Amino acid sequence: MKTATATINLFDDNTLWNNLKDGDEKSFSMLFERYYADLVRYGNSLSLFEEKVQDCIQDVFTDLWVYRNSLQESVVVKAYLLASVRKRIARLHERDHIFRKTTTTDSIAFLLEFSVQHELVDDDYATKEKVNHLNKLLNDLPARQKEALYLRYHQGLTVEQIAEMLDVNYQSASNLLHRGLLSLRKEWKGSFPIILLLSSGSF
């Protein structure tokens, strides 16, 4: 397993993407293995139907291979894949009438629960009760704010990429992040920085 992982990590995303465009099946498989777990995790945050989420991810990769000749030359692969899965799930919601019909992805609710682990916070900075309070603050945020924070601090996306994924302009995406952090900072009484907790926590 370690050998396989090491082999995958030898190639950066751009190299694998360009090789995929040229029809290299091994590069296609490497991208699938590199991002499948992240895509499943994110997909499950947008839908309660795990099997359908996996189907959506399979469809995204099928389209990648079938339409590889028309793929953009330069993309941020992780952001592209996350956005593709989000759009695919949105279409699934529309088709199945799970949510109201819409031409955007606004109606998708972010479902994952955020959890800052007690062991990540030194007792000198916060008590167990304070960490529990922080988790509650995080999970009480509006779904769009929580999703924006997840994409920024757990998936490492830029504000521009988040804006594109959520189908909003740059300022709206920036506002989502700002309001989410502002709300947390207003209520968080611990001395451990919120940003570090967001980056270290898990969904």
Side-chain angles (χ1 to χ4, degrees):
M1 178 63 71
K2 289 184 179 180
T3 301
T5 301
T7 300
I8 291 173
N9 291 332
L10 284 175
F11 301 92
D12 62 35
D13 284 357
N14 290 333
T15 298
L16 295 177
W17 183 261
N18 289 325
N19 289 345
L20 161 64
K21 282 175 57 64
D22 291 336
D24 181 47
E25 294 184 15
K26 187 174 182 179
S27 294
F28 171 78
S29 297
M30 285 183 177
L31 282 177
F32 182 86
E33 292 177 37
R34 178 174 292 177
Y35 288 115
Y36 183 73
D38 281 341
L39 296 176
V40 168
R41 186 75 169 159
Y42 181 55
N44 286 338
S45 79
L46 305 172
S47 173
L48 296 173
F49 304 98
E50 295 183 8
E51 290 186 2
K52 290 185 177 181
V53 166
Q54 293 175 22
D55 289 342
C56 286
I57 295 169
Q58 294 284 350
D59 288 343
V60 165
F61 276 94
T62 297
D63 284 351
L64 271 186
W65 183 255
V66 172
Y67 301 109
R68 60 188 181 278
N69 292 327
S70 60
L71 292 174
Q72 299 175 43
E73 290 291 336
S74 179
V75 300
V76 179
V77 175
K78 187 176 189 178
Y80 180 94
L81 293 174
L82 288 168
S84 296
V85 168
R86 195 180 204 282
K87 291 174 183 176
R88 179 76 63 170
I89 291 174
R91 289 199 294 270
L92 178 68
H93 287 170
E94 294 171 13
R95 188 193 68 193
D96 291 350
H97 304 286
I98 298 173
F99 292 95
R100 61 179 174 81
K101 289 188 176 181
T102 176
T103 56
T104 72
T105 58
D106 290 350
S107 61
I108 298 180
F110 189 72
L111 305 172
L112 284 183
E113 289 291 301
F114 194 97
S115 178
V116 173
Q117 303 300 321
H118 299 145
E119 58 267 23
L120 294 175
V121 183
D122 193 291
D123 287 339
D124 291 338
Y125 292 105
T127 64
K128 180 178 179 180
E129 289 74 19
K130 286 184 178 180
V131 176
N132 288 336
H133 177 57
L134 176 58
N135 283 330
K136 184 178 187 305
L137 293 176
L138 286 162
N139 291 308
D140 284 347
L141 289 174
R144 298 275 279 183
Q145 290 179 19
K146 190 162 67 165
E147 182 175 7
L149 290 172
Y150 169 79
L151 292 171
R152 181 74 183 94
Y153 295 104
H154 282 261
Q155 296 297 347
L157 271 58
T158 65
V159 179
E160 292 90 341
Q161 292 161 356
I162 293 170
E164 184 176 351
M165 284 194 62
L166 300 184
D167 197 23
V168 298
N169 60 37
Y170 178 94
Q171 189 59 52
S172 294
S174 180
N175 288 344
L176 286 171
L177 291 165
H178 175 72
R179 289 169 184 162
L181 289 172
L182 190 65
S183 178
L184 294 174
R185 285 168 178 158
K186 181 180 179 181
E187 299 295 334
W188 173 240
K189 306 304 181 184
S191 59
F192 203 83
I194 285 288
I195 297 295
L196 292 181
L197 292 174
L198 287 172
S199 302
S200 301
S202 61
F203 279 91

